[in-house]
Amino acid sequence: MIPFLESVVKRAGAEAMAYFNHSRENAVTSKKNRNDLVSAADKAVEKVIIGAIRERYPEDAFFGEESGRSGTVSEYCWVIDPIDGTQSFVKNHPFFSISVALQKNGRTIAGSVYAPALGLLFSGETGRGAFENGIPIRVSDCRCLSEAACSTGFACIRAGLKKNNLAYFNAIVPEIRDIKRCGSAALDLCFVASGRYDAYWELCLQEYDIAAGALICSLAGGRVCDLEGGANYPEKGILCGNPALVRCFLPFFQEKSR
Ligand code: IPD
Ligand code: CA
Ligand code: CA
């Protein structure tokens, strides 16, 4: 499935770059709230992805961030975030990605995350492993907080949540080596999978933000869990890294620590 997935995200990447390089006008509007942007590129790229998949799998279902649920009722569903990191994209910041995952009966079995402006293509398939530009990848073996280079995001702030990531951020950052917040959850997960980050956490994400990246991180030896250490992500937040380091992070998210 990986060769097909990669052909789809590369076609989508070419479409995205036509907007990113300003050879096409990219009208930007806001969705539910003023900070939740959607651009013409988001919609055009999702159309390219669905069209490319439908050519090969006309009977499958789709769940796209911009077009919602569509297609027939099927055990196979394609979960699509056409541009993850729209805030970066519209400011010509290269940290954005195209995320496409295939789920069978609700379980992700393959996925690709493509960052065309960075030349990075991550893929994973159950039974095959996780890859960056075709090379197998593995999470880091960092085992202590004081040496951990991490990433997070603030979807929760945009969603107006009072109980948000700021308290966790203030508790965690003094204990770790480095923190980055580059604005593409899909890519954050893949940067953990490839060992660039040692851990990543975030609240208030959607399935399409994390489906492909979470599979790739798991297949690269990472533990992906919710903030209570369970499997209910992204609904109850998401945390990932090598299993030993994830154990060091979990106490930060226990109720009493807030
Ligand atoms: C966003 C990115 C970002 C996360 C936001 C998401 P979008 O996706 O994944 O990292 O913090 O919450 O909404 O909206 O650009 O597809
Ligand atoms: Ca997203
Ligand atoms: Ca998006």
Side-chain angles (χ1 to χ4, degrees):
M1 185 50 74
I2 288 181
F4 172 70
L5 262 170
E6 294 193 343
S7 71
V8 169
V9 295
K10 282 181 182 167
R11 272 170 74 172
E15 182 75 7
M17 292 309 287
Y19 287 89
F20 189 70
N21 293 331
H22 304 299
S23 46
R24 282 205 203 131
E25 182 63 31
N26 191 22
V28 181
T29 54
S30 56
K31 285 197 259 191
K32 298 169 287 299
N33 65 49
R34 64 183 174 77
N35 294 332
D36 196 359
L37 304 181
V38 59
S39 72
D42 292 87
K43 293 172 184 165
V45 170
E46 186 160 304
K47 217 166 152 195
V48 165
I49 293 168
I50 291 178
I53 295 169
R54 258 209 184 108
E55 275 170 24
R56 172 81 72 88
Y57 302 104
E59 302 306 313
D60 285 7
F62 296 91
F63 176 35
E65 177 177 5
E66 310 311 339
S67 56
R69 292 193 182 280
S70 61
T72 55
V73 175
S74 163
E75 61 180 337
Y76 291 99
C77 181
W78 297 84
V79 181
I80 300 163
D81 191 338
I83 294 178
D84 184 56
T86 297
Q87 301 274 358
S88 296
F89 188 88
V90 299
K91 298 294 279 182
N92 248 154
H93 187 302
F95 204 90
F96 67 91
S97 61
I98 292 149
S99 179
V100 180
L102 174 59
Q103 294 186 337
K104 182 177 183 183
N105 298 320
R107 195 170 66 85
T108 306
I109 57 173
S112 285
V113 176
Y114 181 36
L118 300 175
L120 295 173
L121 174 50
F122 299 92
S123 291
E125 184 173 1
T126 46
R128 290 181 184 281
F131 307 90
E132 174 186 328
N133 295 348
I135 310 290
I137 50 177
R138 190 127 193 96
V139 293
S140 78
D141 57 7
C142 173
R143 303 177 76 83
C144 59
L145 288 170
S146 60
E147 295 171 9
C150 305
S151 167
T152 189
F154 294 96
C156 48
I157 306 281
R158 197 167 75 191
L161 285 194
K162 290 281 170 278
K163 190 179 159 201
N164 58 49
N165 189 20
L166 289 175
Y168 298 138
F169 182 85
N170 292 336
I172 292 169
V173 169
E175 305 302 324
I176 60 176
R177 173 168 289 171
D178 184 33
I179 188 74
K180 287 190 171 59
R181 188 263 180 245
C182 292
S184 169
L187 216 37
D188 288 327
L189 286 156
C190 292
F191 272 37
V192 172
S194 57
R196 290 183 176 85
Y197 295 153
D198 299 303
Y200 161 70
W201 80 93
E202 189 160 355
L203 294 77
C204 225
L205 292 173
Q206 306 301 320
E207 184 67 18
Y208 40 72
D209 294 309
I210 61 97
L215 175 74
I216 291 165
C217 191
S218 303
L219 293 173
R223 176 182 174 188
V224 183
C225 58
D226 61 39
L227 299 186
E228 295 168 8
N232 195 1
Y233 58 85
E235 291 73 16
K236 286 190 170 179
I238 193 167
L239 166 65
C240 66
N242 72 60
L245 193 60
V246 164
R247 277 196 297 276
C248 298
F249 270 86
L250 283 171
F252 287 114
F253 302 110
Q254 280 156 17
E255 261 320 293
K256 65 177 184 312
S257 66
R258 287 175 64 81

